[in-house]
Amino acid sequence: MSKVKIGVISTYPGLSDSIAKMAEGMDVELIIKEAILDEGVATAYQMEKDGVDVIISRGVTGRKIKKALSLPVVLIEITSFDILQALYSAKSMGQRIAFLGHRTQDFCDFENIIKILGADVVRYPYGDTFEMEEQASKLLRSDVDVLVSTGLCIYEMAKRSGINAVLVQSGYDAIYGSIYRALELVNGIRRNQEQYKKFGSVLELSNDGILIVDKHNEISFMNPAAENLLDMNAAKIVGKSLDEIRESTVLESLITNVKGEEVFKEVGKRKFLVNSMLLNTGDDLLILFQSADRIQVMEQNIRRQLFKKGLYAKHSFNNIIGNSDALKEAIEGTKKFATANATVLIMGESGTGKELFAQSIHNESDRRKAPFVAINCAALPESLLESELFGYEEGAFTGAKKGGKIGLFEMAHGGTIFLDEIGEMTLPVQARLLRVLQEREIMRLGSDRVIPVDVRIIAATNYELYQAVAEGNFRNDLYHRLEVLNLDIPPLRNRKEDINSLANYFVDLYSFEEKKKVPLLTKGALETLKKYDWPGNIRELQNIIHKYVLLWEEQQPCEELITKLINEKIRKTYKVKSMDEDTITLKIGKVEDMEKQVIDYLLATGASVKDISEKIGTSRTTLWRKTKAGN
């Protein structure tokens, strides 16, 4: 998806600078022009012609633009704090203060602000430009010492008239909030447009015959499937009343149906399953019909509901954060896989983002408009996993749902199915999966009917499957079917240069979610994160940063908090007992491996090489050599 193009009609130079600075870290294209009132509207018109997605402005200028343009306009709201700051500045210039602002800025705490400041403030509210000019005239004839205004034009008018004036300027929260609202607004519009496009494609490409009849009994829509099923030409049908159509008898037999109920209709020598319903307009009648058997009809109904159930890939390669060579190499290889249709086997430790890569492959492939279905094979027992994957017929086993249940392979028809932790799949289920890969068909539990499926399989595991094959826990033939395309995702410890961008991305993410202003990590804090080996990979880093955002307090050095959180992780990992910092529990193994555990623990706590060499009784040179060998 292309960058959001934001047009900003700024009403004073300081606002331009603030917006430009805040937008630096955002993935947006910003066009900033300074103009007010009618000039601002004209500038906004030009921006609309230049293709901006949304416009940001404030005050009367923003309201005039919003009224004049069809383009989305986001107003920078003026907060109580902004007004408080302006009134505070005005108090130092004189005792009698006038406040000129729009009626919508009728803040309930305005009187409290005046009491707190102990100032004499007279309000001059306005609702439109005409009233604003009237109030400005009154104000200029009054004996006020200083004017506080939300509009630049009034501020400048007062200055020219020799009156002290203060302009209410927008603060960080208001400006940042407007940029965020603009992004959300555009992204929401884009999502809706994409949905409408998808739904239009469904109507055109659906295997169901679709007719729409308007209130005048005219055929307003006929899709290609309806043309094929009825052997009619839409060009000769659409736009005509049933009375004018030679084939009206056939069409009327389809249309005369109990609304909302599926019934079989015989039209000549053909049988159709027909359903009709009124559209939201209340006047147009939608008729759906299909000549295939009930299973095909169910398949179509499910496809139409897939989006509502969330069976789609949310992420793409743009969501994968990091610039390390190891990650770039993995992404480049994966993009090549996406263009193919072969099975992909993703290998990587827990928390490395295997599903993120799987979703990216799907969204980069020709199947991106079709379903993406994911299941964790380790999360379900064998019997439940089998029924989830392949579905079942009514009465297939005790507790089977009435009417049976469609399986995930059928739901993913035309798209992709992601089998996470496939190494945990039992041998009997592996045998059924092998059949899907070989024959491209499934059979529900309790059924003798074969259902063809067109599904791309992406499998993932957190260990080498060939070891499971050697141990007899994984089928050799299935392994070779799966490993057509192999993808190894590097663990975080092998791409620590990505920690900077990942950590600060999560700081921004959770600061926004928790509605809390938390500083980005300092160089020292990031270096502390890099000393830790991250056995839980990105998921573990994400949890640490979430905890950092929740626990951070004003004026607290972020490096201090990060060090504390990392040390807590280390103590849990090495099972430090009784608060004894000099005691850890090691996993028994080779002496050099146990020694490495001790060194890793001490390094991760931030201890210096000198302290570690003294503690374990070895020279710094030997210690340096051992740490390098471990890497």
Side-chain angles (χ1 to χ4, degrees), residues 469-489:
V469 172
E471 294 165 1
N473 295 323
F474 202 85
R475 292 179 64 109
N476 184 59
D477 48 4
L478 178 58
Y479 170 68
H480 290 295
R481 281 279 184 178
L482 290 172
E483 64 137 10
V484 178
L485 298 174
N486 284 331
L487 169 63
D488 285 302
I489 302 179

Side-chain angles (χ1 to χ4, degrees), residues 230-339:
L230 299 174
D231 194 21
M232 295 180 183
N233 186 343
K236 297 179 180 179
I237 302 292
V238 175
K240 294 183 179 180
S241 169
L242 286 173
D243 297 334
E244 305 174 65
I245 301 171
R246 180 172 56 85
E247 300 90 346
S248 60
T249 305
V250 174
L251 293 173
E252 284 177 347
S253 64
L254 287 173
I255 294 169
T256 53
N257 180 25
V258 179
K259 297 177 181 61
E261 292 185 5
E262 288 182 332
V263 296
F264 276 101
K265 285 277 184 178
E266 289 193 22
V267 180
K269 295 181 180 180
R270 297 184 182 183
K271 291 184 179 180
F272 296 108
L273 186 68
V274 185
N275 195 355
S276 63
M277 63 198 76
L278 288 173
L279 297 179
N280 289 337
T281 59
D283 295 322
D284 293 338
L285 183 66
L286 173 68
I287 300 99
L288 306 173
F289 58 100
Q290 180 55 265
S291 64
D293 62 21
R294 180 60 181 163
I295 292 178
Q296 290 173 308
V297 175
M298 285 178 62
E299 182 183 341
Q300 294 303 313
N301 289 337
I302 287 171
R303 288 187 205 175
R304 284 192 289 272
Q305 296 173 28
L306 286 177
F307 188 83
K308 295 179 183 178
K309 291 185 177 182
L311 298 177
Y312 61 98
K314 304 171 187 175
H315 301 293
S316 66
F317 287 112
N318 293 331
N319 301 123
I320 301 176
I321 297 170
N323 293 298
S324 64
D325 290 340
L327 184 63
K328 286 179 180 177
E329 185 179 343
I331 291 174
E332 286 306 310
T334 310
K335 284 183 177 180
K336 293 177 183 176
F337 292 173
T339 59

Side-chain angles (χ1 to χ4, degrees), residues 403-474:
K405 181 181 179 181
I406 191 169
L408 295 180
F409 273 104
E410 289 180 77
M411 286 187 179
H413 181 72
T416 304
I417 189 166
F418 175 57
L419 305 175
D420 198 9
E421 306 294 355
I422 196 169
E424 302 299 322
M425 189 179 283
T426 62
L427 290 171
V429 182
Q430 290 175 32
R432 296 199 64 168
L433 176 59
L434 180 63
R435 179 178 177 83
V436 178
L437 283 165
Q438 290 174 333
E439 308 298 335
R440 297 294 169 181
E441 59 187 29
I442 61 103
M443 188 182 294
R444 294 184 187 174
L445 298 180
S447 174
D448 58 359
R449 188 180 339 202
V450 170
I451 303 173
V453 289
D454 171 24
V455 176
R456 184 183 194 180
I457 295 175
I458 301 178
T461 179
N462 59 10
Y463 64 91
E464 298 288 356
L465 276 186
Y466 66 81
Q467 294 178 358
V469 172
E471 294 165 1
N473 295 323
F474 202 85

Side-chain angles (χ1 to χ4, degrees), residues 59 63 78 83 99 101-107 110 123 150:
R63 288 182 178 85
I78 297 172
I83 293 175
F99 176 78
H102 198 274
R103 292 188 193 281
T104 56
Q105 288 146 12
D106 188 18
F107 301 107
F110 192 87
R123 297 185 65 188
T150 58

